[in-house]
């Protein structure tokens, strides 16, 4: 049996991070958790490319552009869609997630979805560094693990 498990060594793994300005109080904490996790896993900040976009609906295209760069191994998309604050919660959250998934499959580059979708701002804060961890940090771990695992699976792309 061939069993492949990606390690969590970020050294030399170049990441793109697309981050939304909408709900910036939350997204800047997610970004800081992501950068901190990357450093703790052995990554060098010089290997990060961070692009800010207006909102979650702009993340898929920015993530796709980053994923198309030959020097980038994986992308993390950071945003926060809060139900209480938007009429169009399902549209914004759903289209953002669907666009990120499409960009990932179209480019063959891992794109990890770190867009919080919560009912309240308190729930978003809990996932941005308070009692429920930091989803930006979790996403970086997922991205590194995926890059390492897929490098062993091979098959190009
Ligand atoms: N964008 C978000 O990232 N989060 C939200 O909660 C949100 N709300 O509430 O609507 C939101 N809307 C903006 C959207 O992502 C686009 O930036 C905008 O529609 C312009 O295309």
């Amino acid at each position: 049996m061939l069993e492949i498990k990606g390690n969590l060594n970020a050294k030399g793994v170049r990441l793109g991070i697309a981050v939304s300005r909408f709900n910036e109080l939350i997204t800047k904490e997610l970004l800081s958790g992501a950068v901190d996790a990357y450093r703790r896993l052995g990554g060098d900040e010089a290997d990060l490319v961070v692009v800010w976009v207006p909102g979650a609906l702009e993340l898929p295209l920015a993530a796709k552009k980053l994923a198309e760069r030959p020097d980038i191994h994986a992308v993390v998309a950071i945003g926060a869609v809060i139900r209480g604050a938007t009429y169009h919660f399902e549209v914004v959250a759903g289209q953002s997630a669907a666009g990120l998934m499409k960009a990932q499959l179209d480019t063959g580059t891992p794109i990890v979805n770190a867009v919080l979708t919560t009912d309240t701002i308190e729930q978003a804060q809990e996932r941005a560094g308070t009692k429920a961890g930091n989803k930006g940090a979790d996403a970086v771990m997922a991205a590194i693990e995926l890059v390492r695992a897929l490098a062993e699976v091979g098959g190009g792309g």
Side-chain angles (χ1 to χ4, degrees):
M1 178 176 75
L2 170 63
E3 191 177 3
I4 295 170
K5 288 186 180 174
N7 68 55
L8 287 176
N9 179 5
K11 192 173 163 57
V13 177
R14 286 187 298 279
L15 284 189
I17 302 180
V19 52
S20 156
R21 266 198 322 275
F22 205 103
N23 292 317
E24 187 176 346
L25 279 181
I26 301 291
T27 61
K28 71 176 195 226
E29 296 304 325
L30 295 171
L31 176 61
S32 126
V35 173
D36 184 59
Y38 180 72
R39 263 201 247 98
R40 282 189 288 118
L41 296 175
D44 178 342
E45 264 188 60
D47 287 332
L48 292 178
V49 179
V50 177
V51 55
W52 285 87
V53 299
L57 286 178
E58 284 71 47
L59 288 172
L61 183 58
K64 182 166 190 253
K65 292 283 187 188
L66 286 168
E68 283 170 348
R69 276 176 58 141
D71 60 326
I72 283 183
H73 299 114
V75 176
V76 169
I78 290 176
V81 189
I82 300 170
R83 187 188 294 273
T86 172
Y87 243 24
H88 313 292
F89 178 86
E90 272 77 20
V91 172
V92 177
Q95 289 299 312
S96 173
L100 291 171
M101 183 57 74
K102 182 168 191 314
Q104 166 170 242
L105 297 177
D106 287 352
T107 60
T109 299
I111 298 177
V112 179
N113 182 342
V115 179
L116 297 179
T117 53
T118 62
D119 285 331
T120 66
I121 188 128
E122 289 76 19
Q123 290 169 347
Q125 282 163 337
E126 284 169 14
R127 292 159 178 73
T130 62
K131 71 181 179 195
N134 185 305
K135 191 162 171 168
D138 296 347
V140 164
M141 290 175 65
I144 303 298
E145 182 178 340
L146 203 49
V147 168
R148 295 302 188 193
L150 296 184
E152 288 198 43
V153 172

